[in-house]
Amino acid sequence: MCHVAGIEALWVRDHLAAPDGEPRLEAWTALALAATEAPRPRMGAILNVAFRHPAMLAAMAGTLDAAIGGRLELGLSSGWLEREHLSFGFDFPEPEVRARRMERYAAVVRELLSGGPVAVAGAGEAPDAELGVASPQPGGPPISVEATTPLQMEVAAGVADQVLIPAAVVRDVDAAVRQVRMACERAERDPATLSIALEVPVSIGRTVAEAHARAERESLFQSLGPPSEVGVFGTLERCQERVIELAHAGVTDLLCVPPNSPDVHDVIAQLTAMVVGSVDVLAPGMPRSRSPDPPPTWGGRSTRPSGPT
């Protein structure tokens, strides 16, 4: 459905236990399955570095990337649910330790996927490792690092192609973007070379009431935050204004989390109409794309054939 609609990339997020209590597939398995059904979009996963050894992830990623024609992207997270780590037997050290662990992890994964030998166990401790199948992409797949603290932003500035920041109100997004740019300056990196992605809950409707109804069906929004406050929410026109505000705040990419509602196909159709152009041209209040026609079931109309009464 998404690749037909023109969605640029499909992403999954890594959880062993569903934070919202709903059934959730294991992330890498879900990604591989989706990649076989969606031949055009890029495929990405935000993966917890505690759950897989970096060399094993690199081997998995190299194989999948080769199989899907170099469309893979990798996102790395140091994790944020202590209970999930401990219940599955993983440690959950202090934030600084987890940030430095992610830094080393990203470096190993990138070097292995680039096709070169890597001292995974440490210099002089064991022979260098080299993958049987590296990524077909020059330099390996793009790597994103999830960052919520200044230290994690410094790590991203040192090892990542993109930094992923969490959903927030616009003023907090603006502050986070400034922190990312300062981290780049400290790392002596041109901030323009590090793209900034925002993970946002999305609920679009032809009326605000419809957007509310869709948002209420998605229990995951309880952990991400209500779309009406920290996401992209409301009518298409209102959502376009929000996206343009985020673009002017410095956000370059959106990782949209739509509601798991029966009419999610309509939400995706409206997402494709929410595309914005250059922030040098667009400004709040300018004309926007026309909303797509409503699906046959919108407004309570059923598509099922009526049976005998």
Side-chain angles (χ1 to χ4, degrees):
M1 176 172 57
C2 288
H3 77 276
V4 173
I7 299 297
E8 182 178 319
L10 300 177
W11 284 77
V12 296
R13 179 175 271 282
D14 205 11
H15 283 294
L16 300 181
D20 57 354
E22 296 292 329
R24 302 277 171 182
L25 297 178
E26 188 275 326
W28 194 262
T29 306
L31 183 71
L33 291 171
T36 63
E37 298 294 328
R40 287 192 292 273
R42 296 190 63 81
M43 309 299 297
I46 303 169
L47 302 169
N48 190 322
V49 300
F51 296 166
R52 300 166 190 85
H53 189 280
M56 178 57 69
L57 175 63
M60 294 161 57
T63 298
L64 180 59
D65 202 19
I68 64 176
R71 294 184 290 127
L72 183 65
E73 299 191 16
L74 292 175
L76 302 178
S77 170
S78 62
W80 49 279
L81 291 176
E82 180 178 11
R83 179 178 178 181
E84 181 180 35
H85 283 71
L86 299 181
S87 63
F88 282 89
F90 299 103
D91 64 349
F92 193 76
E94 295 300 312
E96 181 175 357
V97 175
R98 287 186 284 124
R100 293 306 178 194
R101 178 184 292 175
M102 181 166 59
E103 183 177 32
R104 169 62 178 161
Y105 193 105
V108 169
V109 168
R110 185 185 293 280
E111 291 177 29
L112 282 171
L113 285 170
S114 297
V118 181
V120 176
E125 296 184 16
D128 288 353
E130 190 168 354
L131 292 181
V133 178
S135 169
Q137 301 181 66
I143 292 180
S144 302
V145 165
E146 186 175 43
T148 59
T149 68
L151 179 56
Q152 290 171 345
M153 292 174 185
E154 288 186 15
V155 169
V159 300
D161 302 294
Q162 178 172 263
V163 59
L164 174 62
I165 57 179
V169 297
V170 173
R171 65 176 178 274
D172 291 340
V173 170
D174 187 68
V177 170
R178 288 198 301 271
Q179 286 185 311
V180 170
R181 288 171 176 164
M182 287 188 292
C184 286
E185 291 173 2
R186 289 192 293 271
E188 298 183 347
R189 175 176 181 173
D190 180 358
T193 65
L194 181 66
S195 59
I196 300 175
L198 182 73
E199 184 179 31
V200 288
V202 174
S203 187
I204 308 176
R206 285 171 177 75
T207 65
V208 173
E210 184 178 56
H212 271 296
R214 286 171 169 168
E216 288 173 355
R217 295 191 185 106
E218 182 51 79
S219 56
L220 190 61
F221 289 169
Q222 295 176 10
S223 59
L224 290 175
S228 57
E229 296 178 15
V230 300
V232 175
F233 174 85
T235 63
L236 177 65
E237 294 76 17
R238 182 170 169 181
C239 290
Q240 288 173 327
E241 290 292 324
R242 167 71 165 161
V243 169
I244 290 170
E245 289 177 347
L246 294 171
H248 280 274
V251 173
T252 59
D253 298 89
L254 293 179
L255 270 63
C256 299
V257 183
N260 188 24
S261 60
D263 56 356
V264 68
H265 61 284
D266 186 45
V267 178
I268 292 172
Q270 295 192 67
L271 269 175
T272 63
M274 200 175 63
V275 176
V276 299
S278 166
V279 295
D280 296 331
V281 177
L282 292 170
M286 291 185 66
R288 307 289 175 241
S289 304
R290 184 183 71 85
S291 175
D293 294 332
T297 55
W298 188 68
R301 296 188 299 276
S302 174
T303 58
R304 294 182 180 178
S306 56
T309 57

